[in-house]
């Protein structure tokens, strides 16, 4: 009986330790889309670095996350942006095996000038010299991307 209880406690402890370990991610873009996806990538890395469930690194990752297929369409003062998120196995030189893919789309009001959030200010600081429009794009996309990444990892 003591052995069963001891084994149960060890198992319970190991699950709680595993549940608290952050997932190591590498956020990647294709070279041809690096500039277009910079706001989304910068915002995503910033949000993930503030999370308690993920860590972003360039090596030793459990998953590589590719941001691809950037599309931007302007309609008057509004513009919509969409991209594809690919959850893949770790990749050093190649892309890794595709595990899951999702698309994210956001609409941004280009005339909105009053944005007062800690995240927006931190992102603006990270993107020194970039237009407020690009910072708004990153601030709108990043939370959606992070939510999708977390959901995809939960499916694995």
């Amino acid at each position: 009986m003591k052995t069963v209880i001891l084994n149960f406690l060890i198992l319970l402890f190991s699950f709680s330790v595993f549940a608290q370990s952050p997932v190591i991610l590498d956020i990647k873009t294709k070279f041809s889309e690096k500039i277009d996806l910079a706001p989304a990538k910068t915002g995503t890395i910033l949000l993930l670095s503030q999370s308690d469930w993920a860590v972003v690194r360039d090596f030793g990752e459990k998953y590589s996350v590719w941001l691809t297929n950037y599309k931007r369409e302007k309609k008057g003062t509004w513009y919509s942006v969409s991209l594809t998120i690919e959850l893949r196995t770790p990749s050093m030189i190649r892309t890794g095996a595709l595990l899951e893919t999702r698309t994210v789309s956001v609409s941004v009001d280009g005339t909105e000038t009053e944005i007062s959030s800690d995240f927006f200010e931190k992102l603006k600081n990270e993107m020194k010299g970039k237009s407020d429009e690009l910072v708004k794009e990153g601030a709108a996309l990043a939370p959606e991307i992070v939510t999708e990444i977390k959901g995809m990892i939960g499916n694995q």
Side-chain angles (χ1 to χ4, degrees):
M1 181 68 174
K2 286 182 183 181
T3 306
V4 171
I5 293 172
L6 182 60
N7 286 340
F8 176 76
L9 290 174
I10 291 171
L11 185 62
L12 185 63
F13 177 76
S14 65
F15 279 130
S16 67
V17 168
F18 176 74
Q20 294 173 2
S21 298
V23 177
I24 300 172
L25 305 172
D26 187 3
I27 310 299
K28 296 179 171 279
T29 58
K30 293 178 181 176
F31 184 76
S32 60
E33 292 185 292
K34 198 169 278 301
I35 293 171
D36 290 335
L37 286 165
K41 183 176 179 179
T42 303
T44 299
I45 291 170
L46 182 61
L47 275 184
L48 288 171
S49 69
Q50 296 173 353
S51 78
D52 58 353
W53 64 272
V55 174
V56 178
R57 292 199 187 128
D58 291 332
F59 58 91
E61 70 270 18
K62 181 167 185 175
Y63 300 105
S64 60
V65 177
W66 286 80
L67 306 179
T68 62
N69 300 324
Y70 176 87
K71 292 181 184 114
R72 187 176 206 242
E73 187 177 323
K74 193 155 182 142
K75 295 177 184 175
T77 61
W78 285 82
Y79 57 96
S80 58
V81 181
S82 66
L83 59 88
T84 302
I85 307 163
E86 297 176 349
L87 185 69
R88 294 180 170 270
T89 58
S91 60
M92 290 298 270
I93 298 170
R94 297 202 168 121
T95 57
L98 181 63
L99 300 172
E100 190 171 345
T101 184
R102 294 190 186 177
T103 301
V104 170
S105 299
V106 297
S107 293
V108 179
D109 181 357
T111 62
E112 185 178 359
T113 58
E114 297 279 331
I115 299 177
S116 58
S117 73
D118 281 347
F119 174 63
F120 182 81
E121 293 304 318
K122 287 178 182 176
L123 184 57
K124 190 172 184 175
N125 189 46
E126 287 288 320
M127 296 178 63
K128 289 181 185 115
K130 303 296 181 196
S131 70
D132 279 355
E133 189 173 277
L134 288 177
V135 178
K136 284 188 247 182
E137 181 179 308
L141 281 167
E144 300 295 323
I145 294 168
V146 169
T147 298
E148 294 300 328
I149 291 170
K150 193 170 188 179
M152 287 190 285
I153 290 171
N155 290 341
Q156 300 308 308

